[in-house]
Amino acid sequence: MPALPSGPLGKAELTQIAGHLGERVRRAVSIEVWTREESGLVTGDRDTGAHAADALALCRQLAGLHPALSITAYDLDRHADRAQRAGIDLSPTIVLRSGGRSVVLSGMFYGPLFAPFLDAIVFLSVGTTPVKAETRQALAALEGDVRIEAFVTPFDPFSERMAPLLLAFAAESKRVKLRMVEASQFPVLAGQRLLTEVPVLVMNDKRIAGYWEEDGLVEQVSRIAAGNDAPVIRERVLVAEYVSEDEARSIAQEQQAAQAAQPQTTSSGLIIPGQE
């Protein structure tokens, strides 16, 4: 067996993921990775795509774990016409395709969003998802296409819970056209879209903030597919403040510094004199 490509996943992680995919992947899944070589010059009108190399390396590692997975790399500048036709403008962007269905994932999906990324591969490969039977029937009966642009991050408590549901909807129905953006990696885009909270969905140009449960989301998708923009009433609209990746890193460093400055205590909670 040839050596696997190097990348962000270690040997133990690759072994675990290989077992996971080996048990679940059934039909071929193509992985397209769109990246752009960045000069490092920050212009303020476009995100730098700092994780492009890591995203490509990650997908190459994954493609080496199962014979049903294949990968094609595209350069956003060299293949500009193709990218424009596909509506791809962010680096990195990963497109997963299988069985006539596809999902578009912009950004490097790591941390809490890595498991949903693997879910997307499995959902598309298997052709079915763990949604309710009623949801599957409603998605099969959609009267028109629904384009969903989902803005999520790994730093809020809602995105990781909603991402698998959105990916399942796209795997269930060709009429659900999903682009999921890991928004913390695209602060320029977030500013252009006036993104102050997450998660946020844009469905056929209708912007709706907050976390969705399955029943409410399928009802909203069905309404929009039928040309009805009336919002589904939710008991609560759960959102978190949007923070960029750099802001999240700065917050974490401040918290670590604050913890380090606290006096150490014994297990009984007593302050230990002289300890730093």
Side-chain angles (χ1 to χ4, degrees), residues 10-58:
K11 184 176 180 181
E13 295 168 313
L14 288 170
T15 300
Q16 183 179 5
I17 295 168
H20 176 80
L21 296 177
E23 294 174 357
R24 293 166 175 81
V25 169
R26 294 292 176 265
R27 64 188 179 196
V29 178
S30 68
I31 306 171
E32 297 176 7
V33 185
W34 293 80
T35 60
R36 173 186 289 116
E37 184 175 353
E38 294 293 337
S39 64
L41 179 65
V42 179
T43 62
D45 61 349
R46 188 175 76 185
D47 289 292
T48 60
H51 293 289
D54 284 339
L56 180 56
L58 169 66

Side-chain angles (χ1 to χ4, degrees), residues 76-125:
L76 274 163
D77 294 323
R78 290 202 302 270
H79 303 97
D81 290 343
R82 185 180 184 126
Q84 185 176 22
R85 290 194 299 271
I88 296 171
D89 55 357
L90 297 176
S91 172
T93 289
I94 299 166
V95 184
L96 304 175
R97 303 183 191 275
S98 183
R101 291 163 171 76
S102 64
V103 297
V104 179
L105 305 168
S106 293
M108 172 80 168
F109 280 64
Y110 66 93
L113 296 179
F114 183 61
F117 175 52
L118 294 181
D119 285 341
I121 294 174
V122 172
F123 291 164
L124 291 167
S125 175

Side-chain angles (χ1 to χ4, degrees), residues 15-16 27-28 43 57 98 100 106 131 148 191 199 202 205 211 218 223 233 246 249 253 264:
T15 300
Q16 183 179 5
R27 64 188 179 196
T43 62
S98 183
S106 293
V131 298
I148 302 177
V202 181
D205 300 322
Y211 170 77
V218 74
R223 289 186 187 184
I233 304 303
D246 287 343
R249 187 179 296 112
Q253 291 172 347
Q264 294 188 23

Side-chain angles (χ1 to χ4, degrees), residues 92-253:
T93 289
I94 299 166
V95 184
L96 304 175
R97 303 183 191 275
S98 183
R101 291 163 171 76
S102 64
V103 297
V104 179
L105 305 168
S106 293
M108 172 80 168
F109 280 64
Y110 66 93
L113 296 179
F114 183 61
F117 175 52
L118 294 181
D119 285 341
I121 294 174
V122 172
F123 291 164
L124 291 167
S125 175
V126 174
T128 59
T129 72
V131 298
K132 300 175 184 177
E134 297 85 351
T135 298
R136 185 171 293 112
Q137 292 170 1
L139 292 172
L142 291 178
E143 301 175 27
D145 290 347
V146 180
R147 302 179 309 279
I148 302 177
E149 188 173 38
F151 293 96
V152 298
T153 77
F155 306 120
D156 70 88
F158 309 117
S159 290
E160 64 176 296
R161 293 160 51 192
M162 194 172 71
L165 183 61
L166 290 164
L167 293 164
F169 277 29
E172 286 285 346
S173 175
K174 293 180 181 180
R175 288 197 174 277
V176 177
K177 315 293 186 181
L178 174 66
R179 176 167 99 151
M180 188 173 293
V181 180
E182 204 288 69
S184 76
Q185 295 171 25
F186 301 101
V188 174
L189 176 66
Q192 294 167 347
R193 298 296 186 86
L194 303 179
L195 198 67
T196 60
E197 56 192 11
V198 285
V200 168
L201 302 183
V202 181
M203 302 188 201
N204 286 6
D205 300 322
K206 181 177 179 60
R207 180 171 174 144
I208 308 173
Y211 170 77
W212 286 90
E213 298 283 358
E214 181 175 337
D215 292 345
L217 183 60
V218 74
E219 174 61 23
Q220 189 68 72
V221 168
S222 297
R223 289 186 187 184
I224 290 178
N228 177 6
D229 287 341
V232 172
I233 304 303
R234 288 168 286 174
E235 183 178 345
R236 291 185 297 167
V237 177
L238 301 174
V239 296
E241 181 183 2
Y242 166 79
V243 294
S244 71
E245 192 174 57
D246 287 343
E247 289 170 337
R249 187 179 296 112
S250 178
I251 291 170
Q253 291 172 347

